[in-house]
Amino acid sequence: MPQSYDKGAAVVILPAVGGGRLRDPELKTWLARSELSTVEQRIETLRAILNELGKPYPADGLAALRMWGQTGDRPTVWMAGADPVYLEPRLDHLCLHAFARTGVPLSELRPLFDHLQQELGDDSAFGFARVGSHGYLSSAAEPIASATMPAYSVDGLVPNDFLPTGPGADRHRGLVSEIEMALHDHPVNLERQTHALPPINSLWIWGGGHATAQTTEPHPPLFSDDALLRGYWLSRTGLAEPWPGNITGCLDEAVAGFVATVPGFDDGTRLEDCLHELKSALESKRLSSLTLLFRDGLRADILRSHRRRFWRRRNPLLEEATKQ
């Protein structure tokens, strides 16, 4: 029988705590009394959450799960994510830049993917498609080797270290080269450069595979706008709802424990509001424990009993993380 989950626990992915986003002295003292540690910042969000829940990470098919989360329907063909990126040439290497923070307007994605499908797509082999703000590569025949990590996890790094190796790697490299030639001097990129914006000069092909068959497995309710998370939850017949805008909305809908991802980019207002709500939920016994994963690598494990640690008012990890 599948193991149930702790209905008094919440796992929350929060915006970065650094950069002056956390200023409230009360919240700093509250966090200083918790168990603080650091975690790998670049770990993919689904993997980080499943690690906390003690669930296995999918071996493949991540892009298909993402599309499932976007559309609500399980894809039936092999597919990979095809995320637009900027490969910046440096002195002796390339540096990958994802567009996770700024995004790419749909007015630019549409013509780019239409162009790729027209120039490179082949119904008997593979095709390019855009669903909302995400791109996909599908294959009706032989699967294509792909990277395992999404572009945002490789942002600012040398992409070669994360590309597929072994059988199929040559085909992957050949396809990416064709994509880059097709994108070079595209009107969208010429227009971007007139506005001093980096060109979309490549696609990051990752997460290839088929969507897993749907199963029924106990998972806490999910509140997130992350399509990959939502797709995974749907594949387990779990409750997956959009981020309601605040922690109170999660508590009211879930009644007990939950998993939530708070949108990641703000000036600290959203972060502090969420922390106040979580602190209140713990103190009022609506929750028994919290696992908070901040996007810049700080982790806080908090129990209600930690409030008795009145002698703890500062923590070196927190002080370092919250530097301006």
Side-chain angles (χ1 to χ4, degrees):
M1 177 179 295
Q3 187 177 3
S4 187
Y5 60 90
D6 184 350
K7 294 181 173 59
V11 178
V12 185
I13 307 291
L14 287 159
V17 73
R21 294 181 183 88
L22 183 61
R23 301 181 180 90
D24 190 316
E26 177 187 344
L27 291 175
K28 286 186 175 182
T29 299
W30 178 60
L31 289 174
R33 290 173 179 167
S34 68
E35 293 296 327
L36 294 175
S37 58
T38 56
V39 296
E40 171 58 51
Q41 295 181 44
R42 295 185 179 276
I43 187 172
E44 193 274 314
T45 305
L46 176 61
R47 184 185 293 275
I49 290 172
L50 294 182
N51 286 347
E52 298 303 323
L53 299 179
K55 306 287 186 181
Y57 189 68
D60 55 22
L62 294 174
L65 286 176
R66 189 177 72 177
M67 180 178 279
W68 194 343
Q70 284 188 273
T71 65
D73 297 319
R74 178 181 178 271
T76 58
V77 299
W78 183 97
M79 63 177 46
D83 295 346
V85 295
Y86 167 48
L87 296 181
E88 178 193 6
R90 294 190 176 175
L91 185 62
D92 58 355
H93 66 275
L94 291 174
C95 180
L96 182 144
H97 298 279
F99 294 98
R101 178 180 287 271
T102 60
V104 177
L106 294 183
S107 59
E108 295 181 352
L109 279 181
R110 289 191 190 99
L112 286 177
F113 274 86
D114 288 347
H115 177 68
L116 288 171
Q117 178 59 23
Q118 181 179 352
E119 293 296 313
L120 304 177
D122 181 348
D123 291 340
S124 64
F126 55 82
F128 296 87
R130 178 199 57 81
V131 179
S133 60
H134 294 304
Y136 294 93
L137 174 72
S138 63
S139 175
E142 183 182 353
I144 299 167
S146 62
T148 58
M149 298 174 68
Y152 73 80
S153 295
V154 189
D155 186 49
L157 300 179
V158 179
N160 290 354
D161 297 339
F162 302 92
L163 292 174
T165 59
D170 288 344
R171 187 176 179 218
H172 174 276
R173 284 192 293 270
L175 175 60
V176 171
S177 294
E178 291 185 61
I179 290 170
E180 291 171 356
M181 286 189 288
L183 293 177
H184 183 67
D185 286 342
H186 187 279
V188 164
N189 281 324
L190 296 179
E191 179 66 17
R192 286 179 65 87
Q193 290 177 66
T194 65
H195 295 286
L197 295 172
I200 301 165
N201 59 7
S202 189
L203 296 181
W204 183 252
I205 309 299
W206 72 282
H210 289 86
T212 182
Q214 190 172 40
T215 60
T216 300
E217 185 178 344
H219 279 68
L222 170 73
F223 300 93
S224 177
D225 297 329
D226 186 311
L228 175 55
L229 298 184
R230 291 170 59 81
Y232 173 86
W233 250 254
L234 291 175
S235 76
R236 281 5 184 220
T237 324
L239 174 67
E241 297 290 342
W243 165 245
N246 52 52
I247 295 296
T248 300
C250 302
L251 289 162
D252 291 344
E253 182 72 22
V255 180
F258 62 88
V259 171
T261 63
V262 181
F265 306 119
D266 75 329
D267 61 0
T269 303
R270 178 185 289 148
L271 171 64
E272 292 194 339
D273 286 347
C274 288
L275 289 174
H276 276 296
E277 289 179 290
L278 289 164
K279 180 175 180 289
S280 176
L282 199 63
E283 291 171 349
S284 63
K285 301 184 179 180
R286 297 188 72 179
L287 293 169
S288 59
S289 66
L290 295 171
T291 297
L292 309 182
L293 303 174
F294 298 91
R295 295 183 189 273
D296 50 357
L298 186 70
R299 171 196 174 114
D301 292 286
I302 311 176
L303 300 175
R304 196 178 304 118
S305 60
H306 288 169
R307 71 185 186 278
R308 301 192 188 99
R309 297 173 168 180
F310 55 86
W311 63 90
R312 287 194 184 183
R313 306 192 66 83
R314 302 179 64 182
N315 182 286
L317 283 177
L318 185 62
E319 296 293 320
E320 180 65 27
T322 54
K323 281 183 178 179
Q324 295 286 343

